[in-house]
């Protein structure tokens, strides 16, 4: 079970043991991480699971699919490291992953 750290906008770190195969959005919800709502259930249609992926992890993630790109394009605080956590699957390769939550989900 890879360790994943969510850092909320206030700077509080939430370190959790993630289940391989789950999405990062599901991982956050399962562990009560504040700031990730997942309103659309993981369909890349709401943007409430937006987060920023810290380097070097961003390079280990799969590319952005068109549906994710469409949603990211309408998020105000999109950055080069932005991803939708519902589109990211936990794998052993992501051990130690660190992600940050945006101000809009504070
Ligand atoms: Fe809605 Fe990710 S849960 S976009």
């Amino acid at each position: 079970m890879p360790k994943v750290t969510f850092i909320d906008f206030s700077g509080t770190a939430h370190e959790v043991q993630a289940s391989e195969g789950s999405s990062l959005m599901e991982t956050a919800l399962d562990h009560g991480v504040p700031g990730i709502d997942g309103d659309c259930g993981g369909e890349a249609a709401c943007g409430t699971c937006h987060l920023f992926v810290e380097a070097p992890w961003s390079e280990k993630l799969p590319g952005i699919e068109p549906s994710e790109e469409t949603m990211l394009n309408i998020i105000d605080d999109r950055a080069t490291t932005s991803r939708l956590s519902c589109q990211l699957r936990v794998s052993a390769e992501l051990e130690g992953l660190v992600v940050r939550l945006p101000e809009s989900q504070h």
Side-chain angles (χ1 to χ4, degrees), residues 1-6 14-20 22 27-28 30-31 90 95-96:
M1 300 216 340
K3 182 183 75 180
V4 175
T5 302
F6 296 85
H14 305 267
E15 187 179 296
V16 305
Q17 296 294 326
S19 299
E20 289 183 48
S22 295
T27 299
D30 288 348
H31 292 85
V90 174
E95 167 63 33

Side-chain angles (χ1 to χ4, degrees), residues 82-98:
S82 287
R83 296 299 301 260
L84 296 179
S85 58
C86 67
Q87 302 302 302
L88 302 174
R89 294 277 155 206
V90 174
S91 67
E93 199 181 16
L94 297 184
E95 167 63 33
L97 174 71
V98 178

Side-chain angles (χ1 to χ4, degrees), residues 7 14 17-18 24 30 39 49 51 58 61 68 81 94 96:
I7 302 176
H14 305 267
Q17 296 294 326
L24 274 185
D30 288 348
D39 287 346
C49 68
L51 45 69
S58 53
L61 297 173
E68 182 179 3
T81 56
L94 297 184

Side-chain angles (χ1 to χ4, degrees), residues 21-55:
S22 295
S23 72
L24 274 185
M25 178 272 281
E26 292 166 332
T27 299
L29 293 182
D30 288 348
H31 292 85
V33 175
I36 297 284
D37 292 337
D39 287 346
C40 73
E43 299 297 321
C46 70
T48 64
C49 68
H50 175 215
L51 45 69
F52 306 113
V53 178
E54 298 275 284

